[in-house]
Amino acid sequence: MPHTPVAGAPPNFLTLPHQISSWGNFDHGDCVTAEEAFAKACHQPEIFITDQIAMAWAKNHGVLEGANLHQVLQWMQKGGFQENGKTFDDGQIFSVDWTNPSTLQSAISKGPVKIGVAATQLETAWRTTNGQTGWFGLGFKKDDAEDHCVSLCGYGSLAWLAGQLKVSLPSGVDGTKPGYAMFTWDSIGIVDQPSLITITQEAWLRSPTTVVVPGRTAERPHARA
């Protein structure tokens, strides 16, 4: 079911958790699961899933080294992360048109948007800060080779986003242009709108992002071969 934008999305928006991690994605291909853990950190109050719990969940579901985004979303609806006697599930799943700014911004204002992207240019941008929050993804070329999962947690002008992350705009960049805050690899960076469109292949909203279920045992499928 597609996300239908609703009136009232703010002109600028950002969810910036106090504590984030790579959730195993430095050493394993569990980016789809790591994004789920990041989404829980965006909950109010924040929910921090440990690296060990995230990686164990991915291993148990056979997705420690690669996953289908929609399948993980479905599993998380009935068998999310278990921590401190609670299970943290996903809500209903909606597809998002990432090429339509008003639709995408409306979705992000409701919760982090999970996207599938081509990672090559993104990794280059991430390395400009040695993986520290505040990198910029600008001027990307078209790349359809989807091989990574990240999360969009904010939007606004490039200058506004840079101010929120306490970094300076790169020289020559028009700060009035629109951009998005993106989580990946234990960091949050800023990607301009054209670059986002060129590397994205799918986008999903969970509504609500997190469903907290006290005392329930998560349902677990058989691990994939």
Side-chain angles (χ1 to χ4, degrees):
M1 183 181 298
H3 167 67
T4 301
V6 295
N12 301 299
F13 179 87
L14 178 64
T15 299
L16 197 61
H18 289 95
Q19 184 177 7
I20 61 175
S21 178
S22 70
W23 287 289
N25 197 208
F26 286 149
D27 301 311
H28 300 283
D30 66 339
C31 56
V32 183
T33 301
E35 189 281 336
E36 291 288 340
F38 173 78
K40 304 313 175 202
C42 291
H43 188 268
Q44 295 298 327
E46 291 184 23
I47 300 166
F48 184 75
I49 303 299
T50 67
D51 287 27
Q52 292 73 23
I53 288 175
M55 288 187 290
W57 190 96
K59 183 177 181 180
N60 184 72
H61 289 73
V63 291
L64 190 62
E65 304 298 346
N68 176 288
L69 273 65
H70 190 261
Q71 186 175 47
V72 167
L73 285 162
Q74 290 180 312
W75 287 341
M76 287 292 298
Q77 285 185 302
K78 294 184 178 180
F81 300 120
Q82 290 185 333
E83 192 169 58
N84 298 325
K86 299 176 181 178
T87 301
F88 301 101
D89 290 345
D90 284 357
Q92 189 173 354
I93 307 165
F94 297 88
S95 64
V96 179
D97 180 0
W98 66 91
T99 66
N100 185 312
S102 62
T103 299
L104 181 55
Q105 291 171 13
S106 169
I108 294 171
S109 72
K110 301 298 181 184
V113 171
K114 186 185 196 81
I115 63 173
V117 299
T120 300
Q121 297 170 93
L122 190 60
E123 182 177 353
T124 299
W126 177 81
R127 290 189 182 279
T128 61
T129 62
N130 294 317
Q132 299 300 305
T133 286
W135 49 266
F136 283 85
L138 307 169
F140 290 175
K141 305 300 182 183
K142 183 66 174 175
D143 188 347
D144 296 332
E146 180 181 352
D147 58 358
H148 189 45
C149 177
V150 301
S151 194
L152 299 178
C153 59
Y155 61 84
S157 70
L158 294 175
W160 184 84
L161 290 169
Q164 297 301 302
L165 297 185
K166 297 179 173 57
V167 295
S168 300
L169 282 172
S171 177
V173 172
D174 184 350
T176 66
K177 296 296 185 181
Y180 295 89
M182 177 184 289
F183 161 81
T184 188
W185 300 310
D186 194 21
S187 71
I188 295 174
I190 300 168
V191 179
D192 66 11
Q193 185 172 301
S195 293
L196 176 72
I197 292 173
T198 62
I199 65 170
T200 302
Q201 299 299 307
E202 57 180 305
W204 304 95
L205 172 69
R206 295 146 290 208
S207 184
T209 302
T210 302
V211 178
V212 182
V213 185
R216 194 190 74 192
T217 300
E219 298 177 14
R220 298 184 173 185
H222 295 295
R224 298 190 309 184

